[in-house]
Amino acid sequence: MPQNEYIEEAIKRYGRRFNHEERMRKREARSVHKNSATAQKLHGLKAKLHNKKRHTEKIEMKKTIKAHEEKNAKTTAPQEPQAGAVPAYLLDRSSQNNAKVLSNMIKQKRKEKAGKWNVPLPKVRGIAEDEMFKVLKTGKRQTKQWKRMVTKVTFVGDGFTRKPPKYERFIRPMGLRFKKANVTHPELGATFTLPMIGVKKNPSSPLYTQLGVITKGTIIEVNVSELGLVTTGGKVVWGKYAQVTNNPENDGCINSVLLV
């Protein structure tokens, strides 16, 4: 490591703040207004350079969005052989049908990388921090209000140990920790109780994902080795994603649908 890179060294040793992703998300959301205000104030050459930079960024963003979307391409279907010779300019012409550009496996990997799936519940209600966390007052004079208790169902791993009370910012109660979920296979029409591996994505906030909070619409990873699912290559599938379809904090259990 080069000399004087204390920030990178501290990040590697101690990690980042709990709400780092949330702060970065809010900063990025506010950057649109900041760029707009800057563009309105600039004149002359600086305005030209700024507009050229924004134009390039927009092109890159459109290319990224286009890459994530499924596009149809025209491919030629094999035709029955015709009697007689065909002219050279007609060799490339044949009946065309729409087909997908990429195989299902590659598309699935790209969707997982982009955080997009074909889920049973595409739109869910966002949950604010006031509803998610309860403020805990600690200290002799009740002036310290930096602790938060999670009021929703959470998942923590087997090797989880709580931090000392002095350093614990987010408290996940024991009564709201779940290890198993009811998973329904959409094609089989059967429901199984499977152990959870982790929380893949909570659509409300990256902070909730990091804390392992499970709300309606959350993507969780479950252990499906008991179901005996195998891939095309013959390997046993160990973990698959499922989406939560109920409010676990109200029902006392996690109901989900397997993403196949």
Side-chain angles (χ1 to χ4, degrees), residues 189-220:
T191 304
F192 309 92
T193 303
L194 303 175
M196 288 190 291
I197 300 173
V199 176
K200 177 66 177 175
K201 185 172 184 180
N202 191 317
S204 298
S205 169
L207 175 63
Y208 303 162
T209 306
Q210 189 178 3
L211 290 173
V213 179
I214 300 172
T215 55
K216 189 173 183 179
T218 303
I219 305 294
I220 59 174

Side-chain angles (χ1 to χ4, degrees), residues 61-130:
M61 187 168 58
K62 286 182 179 179
K63 284 183 180 178
T64 308
I65 293 172
K66 192 176 180 182
H68 288 321
E69 291 176 352
E70 292 181 353
K71 292 295 179 182
N72 294 335
K74 294 181 178 180
T75 57
T76 58
Q79 264 189 347
E80 296 180 0
Q82 298 178 353
V86 181
Y89 60 87
L90 291 178
L91 286 174
D92 293 334
R93 297 186 184 182
S94 58
S95 62
Q96 296 177 341
N97 63 335
N98 290 331
K100 301 298 180 185
V101 178
L102 303 169
S103 66
N104 291 332
M105 189 178 296
I106 297 175
K107 282 189 289 185
Q108 187 68 21
K109 284 184 179 179
R110 284 190 176 180
K111 284 181 183 177
E112 289 178 8
K113 195 172 182 181
K116 296 179 181 179
W117 297 275
N118 292 326
V119 291
L121 302 176
K123 293 183 180 180
V124 291
R125 180 181 69 90
I127 299 176
E129 291 188 359
D130 297 339

Side-chain angles (χ1 to χ4, degrees), residues 5-201:
E5 292 194 359
Y6 301 115
I7 296 175
E8 290 81 357
E9 189 176 352
I11 291 171
K12 287 182 179 178
R13 285 184 180 178
Y14 308 110
R16 294 186 181 273
R17 292 172 54 157
F18 253 117
N19 60 343
H20 173 75
E21 288 81 5
E22 185 69 13
R23 292 175 74 227
M24 292 297 107
R25 184 188 67 80
K26 289 182 178 178
R27 183 180 295 179
E28 188 178 354
R30 288 192 296 263
S31 66
V32 180
H33 305 285
K34 187 178 178 182
N35 289 336
S36 175
T38 307
Q40 291 176 34
K41 292 178 183 177
L42 292 176
H43 297 285
L45 183 60
K46 286 186 177 181
K48 286 184 178 180
L49 294 173
H50 180 77
N51 293 336
K52 183 177 175 61
K53 180 184 175 184
R54 289 291 299 146
H55 179 66
T56 310
E57 289 176 359
K58 286 179 180 178
I59 291 175
E60 289 297 324
M61 187 168 58
K62 286 182 179 179
K63 284 183 180 178
T64 308
I65 293 172
K66 192 176 180 182
H68 288 321
E69 291 176 352
E70 292 181 353
K71 292 295 179 182
N72 294 335
K74 294 181 178 180
T75 57
T76 58
Q79 264 189 347
E80 296 180 0
Q82 298 178 353
V86 181
Y89 60 87
L90 291 178
L91 286 174
D92 293 334
R93 297 186 184 182
S94 58
S95 62
Q96 296 177 341
N97 63 335
N98 290 331
K100 301 298 180 185
V101 178
L102 303 169
S103 66
N104 291 332
M105 189 178 296
I106 297 175
K107 282 189 289 185
Q108 187 68 21
K109 284 184 179 179
R110 284 190 176 180
K111 284 181 183 177
E112 289 178 8
K113 195 172 182 181
K116 296 179 181 179
W117 297 275
N118 292 326
V119 291
L121 302 176
K123 293 183 180 180
V124 291
R125 180 181 69 90
I127 299 176
E129 291 188 359
D130 297 339
E131 184 183 352
M132 178 66 65
F133 302 120
K134 177 184 175 184
V135 179
L136 289 184
K137 297 181 181 179
T138 61
K140 195 172 183 180
R141 295 170 186 84
Q142 301 292 311
T143 55
K144 297 181 180 179
Q145 301 182 11
W146 53 273
K147 286 194 176 187
R148 299 290 182 268
M149 185 171 72
V150 182
T151 59
K152 305 290 182 183
V153 168
T154 57
F155 169 79
V156 295
D158 294 331
F160 172 75
T161 54
R162 288 182 59 179
K163 289 183 179 180
K166 187 177 180 181
Y167 302 107
E168 191 175 31
R169 173 168 166 76
F170 295 99
I171 300 171
R172 290 166 278 190
M174 286 286 293
L176 289 174
R177 294 184 197 171
F178 281 57
K179 290 187 177 181
K180 292 192 176 183
N182 301 325
V183 182
T184 302
H185 198 291
E187 295 176 359
L188 298 177
T191 304
F192 309 92
T193 303
L194 303 175
M196 288 190 291
I197 300 173
V199 176
K200 177 66 177 175
K201 185 172 184 180

